[in-house]
Amino acid sequence: MEILEIQEKVHDESKQGEAFSPFKVDPNLYKKRFYIESYGCAMNFSDSEIVASILNTEGFGATKRFEEADLVLLNTCSIREKAEQTVRKRLTEFRKTKNKKPGMLIGVLGCMAERLKTKLLEEEKLVDLVVGPDAYRSLPSLIEETDGGQKSVNVLLSRDETYADISPVRLNSNGICAFISIMRGCNNMCSFCVVPFTRGRERSRDAHSIIAEANDLYNRGFREVTLLGQNVDSYNWIDESNGETITFAKLLEKVAKVSPDMRIRFSTSHPKDITDEVLYTMAKYENICKYIHLPVQSGSSRILQLMNRTYSREWYIAKVDRIKEIMPDCSISADIIAGFCTETEEDHQDTLSIMEYSKYDYSYMFFYSERPGTLAEKRYKDDIPEETKRRRLQEIIEVQNRLSKESNLLDIDKTFKVLIEGESKKNNKDWKGRNSQNKVLIFPKENYSLNAGDYVMVKVDECTQGTLLGKIVNE
Ligand code: SAH
Ligand code: SF4
Ligand code: F3S
């Protein structure tokens, strides 16, 4: 397993700084080219698909090479200091190209744009555009302003923007799996977290538009959708036409009914908000994947309180028990922060032991990075030395590596229904897919005539820490 402290993502499909090339550029259709690179969580990747859609209607086609772009965009993340440093480095690289090609516009989108606002223009003199996550509709007019030689900024946060009516351009897609953004913002105030400041108030997207998007994806051959939000379990939308309140459980059910052949995943669940109704809905529908990302952050009740997570160690453990009671085959993953303010060795041991208890199949692990403006920055001292943070993180990673391996060993000899996502990167004679529990399976194609998007039964006969290896079985 790679060291996850440097990962700025909440979904394992997001790749750091990946550039997109969604389609061949038709020179008659698109007069100009844009290049977009995305950092951070799945929501940022999903937003880039909305930005691509807006830019397409303005005559911009995508390119994979920033040197040939008229407009270069970085969709940025502020979650940890390291995430911002990466973007700053990238901007310096763009500077060289811009010096040779002065007409090129450079824009910063996303959470760093929101956090730093006009400061970005002062600090990074080559930036022409600064656009926050709720202001992408204004991109065309901002680009027009900058074309006139001016610098443009729009970082207004909105109480109702959900981009519900914009049909995302699926960037870098395998044609099988897609994200659907169901809500924006976050009303929680976890003391370490910058997201409530960069993404604004929580708002839920019109359920009809979500179902329509899922239907459209299914009709275009997609077979898996991931419903996205910072806290999906607090999704709540009132249908004005009949007064019906759509909760997350109801939404899940509606999406599950689009087709039994389309898998549903979701990310992220705050432990305090995931209800029995959601768990029972997951259990009821075979196509809702038996996998919950349930960030714990810490195993110590004292630290959880300082983090303002609103649950205790015991409460979280009871939630894990409940999940396993309702869905014994459900896999669970977590986010974990090492070295939060005042964390003692005993608190750290509590984190290691809650990992053992929960038997996480996977975790995203970070050391604490103080973020300006957060409650923790205002209230507490970032008092754990970096070497202690790193050592504790390493211990957390080692426990997780063992748990992942143990969990995979338990799958040997089991048979899983796998959705084929494409060829294995290492060998084109093998397929790669995932089971409901979100584990990756690699298996030989043999002589079966199968395609990406098909379901197949695979029996596991070997494993590594990160992958199950098996063979197709006829059942
Ligand atoms: N909304 C999601 C989390 C989004 S941020 C949730 O509540 O679960 C993804 C992860 O980044 C968090 O779960 C947390 O583990 C980590 N994170 C957030 N702020 C951090 C900080 N200041 N330092 C280190 N890790 C942080
Ligand atoms: Fe951040 Fe907490 Fe909101 Fe997640 S729930 S985005 S960690 S404030
Ligand atoms: Fe990063 Fe913003 Fe997502 S801070 S994790 S891109 S919401």
Side-chain angles (χ1 to χ4, degrees):
M1 190 177 293
E2 359 161 24
I3 300 209
L4 291 166
E5 84 203 63
I6 52 159
Q7 269 178 292
E8 317 300 341
K9 64 184 188 181
V10 296
H11 192 279
D12 56 353
E13 277 176 354
S14 351
K15 292 203 185 63
Q16 274 298 308
E18 189 160 328
F20 295 124
S21 171
F23 39 75
K24 288 211 172 66
V25 178
D26 174 352
N28 300 319
L29 195 58
Y30 299 116
K31 304 221 158 28
K32 292 188 167 183
R33 305 227 179 147
F34 77 94
Y35 169 90
I36 190 163
E37 217 172 81
S38 307
Y39 294 81
C41 62
M43 272 140 283
N44 244 17
F45 282 72
S46 172
D47 279 1
S48 291
E49 301 189 329
I50 287 167
V51 168
S53 175
I54 294 170
L55 291 176
N56 278 179
T57 53
E58 287 300 305
F60 282 88
T63 170
K64 224 176 182 169
R65 289 166 36 81
F66 75 81
E67 296 87 349
E68 62 182 36
D70 303 286
L71 173 65
V72 173
L73 298 172
L74 282 183
N75 197 355
T76 61
C77 174
S78 290
I79 202 83
R80 284 166 288 276
E81 200 184 342
K82 175 122 193 162
E84 293 199 351
Q85 282 167 0
T86 313
V87 166
R88 287 209 157 88
K89 239 194 249 151
R90 198 66 180 128
L91 282 171
T92 337
E93 283 162 32
F94 291 155
R95 188 187 303 267
K96 289 184 210 126
T97 314
K98 178 144 169 138
N99 285 344
K100 281 186 244 146
K101 198 179 167 187
M104 178 196 248
L105 296 182
I106 295 185
V108 176
L109 314 179
C111 291
M112 237 175 120
E114 194 59 52
R115 195 179 81 71
L116 294 165
K117 304 186 169 60
T118 47
K119 261 199 225 154
L120 259 174
L121 296 178
E122 294 150 23
E123 288 173 21
E124 308 288 337
K125 299 239 176 319
L126 80 167
V127 171
D128 304 291
L129 275 166
V130 177
V131 191
D134 285 348
Y136 298 144
R137 279 182 207 271
S138 66
L139 263 168
S141 58
L142 295 174
I143 292 167
E144 215 175 280
E145 277 174 30
T146 37
D147 268 342
Q150 220 175 301
K151 306 247 172 194
S152 313
V153 180
N154 186 351
V155 287
L156 288 175
L157 285 172
S158 156
R159 278 185 175 260
D160 48 26
E161 178 63 274
T162 59
Y163 301 110
D165 57 313
I166 296 181
S167 179
V169 172
R170 302 294 162 184
L171 294 165
N172 228 40
S173 164
N174 61 4
I176 310 297
C177 310
F179 293 131
I180 302 185
S181 173
I182 64 163
M183 60 195 301
R184 300 182 70 83
C186 181
N187 282 359
N188 295 318
M189 273 287 171
C190 303
S191 61
F192 52 79
C193 185
V194 78
V195 172
F197 306 97
T198 60
R199 294 262 160 179
R201 303 293 290 172
E202 186 178 289
R203 67 221 94 121
S204 297
R205 173 178 167 190
D206 178 331
H208 299 303
S209 75
I210 296 171
I211 311 296
E213 193 172 327
N215 263 308
D216 174 58
L217 285 164
Y218 182 75
N219 293 332
R220 285 161 51 198
F222 286 82
R223 290 296 174 263
E224 183 184 292
V225 294
T226 302
L227 307 181
L228 287 182
Q230 291 296 354
N231 182 12
V232 287
D233 298 274
S234 66
Y235 178 88
N236 194 285
W237 185 77
I238 298 167
D239 190 343
E240 302 285 346
S241 69
N242 57 12
E244 189 189 1
T245 300
I246 315 268
T247 58
F248 182 58
K250 283 198 182 136
L251 180 74
L252 260 183
E253 178 152 42
K254 283 177 193 286
V255 183
K257 283 180 172 167
V258 165
S259 164
D261 282 337
M262 188 156 77
R263 280 185 167 174
I264 324 299
R265 299 186 187 276
F266 54 88
S267 181
T268 300
S269 294
H270 191 296
K272 78 174 163 59
D273 292 315
I274 189 159
T275 59
D276 272 8
E277 200 194 353
V278 168
L279 301 180
Y280 283 120
T281 308
M282 289 177 73
K284 184 172 166 194
Y285 291 91
E286 189 267 337
N287 59 332
I288 304 181
C289 291
K290 305 300 176 277
Y291 165 58
I292 300 178
H293 183 57
L294 198 69
V296 64
Q297 315 297 2
S298 165
S300 151
S301 292
R302 187 184 70 82
I303 294 291
L304 285 168
Q305 194 170 11
L306 293 184
M307 287 177 163
N308 205 19
R309 287 292 284 183
T310 72
Y311 53 83
S312 63
R313 174 185 175 88
E314 292 68 32
W315 199 93
Y316 183 93
I317 284 178
K319 197 49 94 179
V320 169
D321 289 346
R322 193 76 180 131
I323 294 169
K324 297 281 182 190
E325 190 184 322
I326 297 175
M327 289 172 289
D329 63 340
C330 190
S331 71
I332 304 178
S333 62
D335 290 349
I336 301 170
I337 300 178
F340 187 65
C341 316
T342 78
E343 188 187 72
T344 61
E345 273 318 302
E346 203 184 333
D347 295 320
H348 170 57
Q349 289 302 324
D350 283 346
T351 297
L352 298 179
S353 68
I354 209 166
M355 294 174 71
E356 300 277 359
Y357 185 89
S358 310
K359 296 195 171 62
Y360 298 125
D361 296 279
Y362 194 80
S363 286
Y364 297 92
M365 300 159 280
F366 318 97
F367 61 74
Y368 175 58
S369 159
E370 185 178 79
R371 306 308 293 129
T374 55
L375 293 181
E377 188 246 358
K378 289 184 191 147
R379 285 186 194 158
Y380 317 121
K381 199 163 162 253
D382 181 11
D383 58 351
I384 308 301
E386 177 151 341
E387 56 176 291
T388 310
K389 286 183 184 174
R390 284 188 184 274
R391 194 250 308 148
R392 290 182 186 163
L393 177 64
Q394 195 49 43
E395 288 174 14
I396 290 170
I397 291 170
E398 278 160 22
V399 169
Q400 185 54 55
N401 287 350
R402 176 169 50 75
L403 291 175
S404 299
K405 184 79 195 265
E406 283 170 8
S407 159
N408 281 356
L409 284 170
L410 288 175
D411 286 339
I412 288 181
D413 289 336
K414 286 189 193 161
T415 300
F416 293 103
K417 182 174 170 183
V418 176
L419 172 62
I420 302 179
E421 290 174 19
E423 283 177 350
S424 155
K425 271 191 199 129
K426 286 190 193 146
N427 182 350
N428 64 8
K429 292 194 173 69
D430 289 346
W431 287 120
K432 169 184 171 279
R434 274 178 295 157
N435 64 7
S436 177
Q437 289 73 14
N438 206 33
K439 288 192 181 173
V440 173
L441 281 96
I442 306 283
F443 47 96
K445 290 179 177 174
E446 299 179 59
N447 292 326
Y448 296 94
S449 78
L450 291 162
N451 293 301
D454 288 340
Y455 289 97
V456 64
M457 300 305 290
V458 178
K459 187 171 178 200
V460 177
D461 44 33
E462 263 184 89
C463 72
T464 64
Q465 193 180 290
T467 317
L468 301 176
L469 309 167
K471 276 208 167 61
I472 297 175
V473 288
N474 292 306
E475 278 200 359

